[in-house]
Amino acid sequence: MEERKLTVRAVERALDILICFTTDTDLGLTEISSKIGLHKSTVHRLLTTLEEKGFITRNQATEKYRLGMRVWELAANQSQEDDPAHILLPEMERLRDVLGETVSLYLQDGKERIRIQAVQSNQAIRRVAPVGMRAPLSVGASSKVLIAFAKEEVRAELLESLEWVSDEENGHYVSQLSEIQALGYATSFEEREPGAAAVSVPIYDRSHHLAAALSVSGPVSRLSMQKMKELAPMISEAAGRMGKMLK
């Protein structure tokens, strides 16, 4: 029984190492050790095993680690039949071409949102949206959409679980959700990143279940509140087309 617990713990720690690379491309031993809170000797042993299996590769010159080819092999074999990131990409590209701004697709994952797909703006000054990025559900246009249009019991559970600076902040957020439900879209103006703005709408699948949040983002110099209000109907129309593509 004890051996089984140790084996599971080793797997969890190895996965924690791989998860570190969702936000960084190259990491040193000390950086990984700090991120997951383990002694460097333990991390080094795990990295050696991951390297032997092809999940991690090490740059001999810099002593930095990065994801190995085995990870990409697994990703290449992932089923795309029901993957919204794959299915909705052409429509996202069309929306980007019409609006000229970065288009992103978000899912809720626990108390966070994760960007599962993004199509970058072609403009010289643009908001770069890395796929795989996570952000708290307590801030941002897409976060508000994922909560506002969730099932009532899910919304209540999420609001209860999120950490707030104050009751006043919580109350303001809840009042925002009611307005968003009435409008059908959410906006954010320099809420998470200085100089960045975004407008987001829900995507419902064919069973009318909330499937994702569709977001258009860019610099505040181009996306004023008035501009986002004007774009919202076009984004909602695109979201409607996308929803019909999902089971």
Side-chain angles (χ1 to χ4, degrees), residues 185-233:
Y185 67 90
T187 60
S188 63
F189 201 79
E190 296 190 302
E191 287 186 12
R192 199 178 66 84
E193 298 176 35
V199 54
S200 184
V201 304
I203 296 177
Y204 295 100
D205 62 22
R206 281 180 281 179
S207 299
H208 205 68
H209 295 138
L210 179 64
L214 178 66
S215 180
V216 172
S217 60
V220 295
S221 58
R222 292 198 301 264
L223 286 183
S224 64
M225 282 297 198
Q226 180 59 37
K227 182 65 175 179
M228 289 191 285
K229 182 179 179 180
E230 293 170 2
L231 295 181

Side-chain angles (χ1 to χ4, degrees), residues 18 32 70 105 113 115 123 133 138 141 162 193 201 232 237:
L18 293 176
I32 297 171
R70 186 69 67 182
L105 193 66
R113 58 183 161 105
R115 183 183 287 121
Q123 302 202 50
M133 187 216 76
S138 54
L162 295 179
E193 298 176 35
V201 304
E237 184 180 346

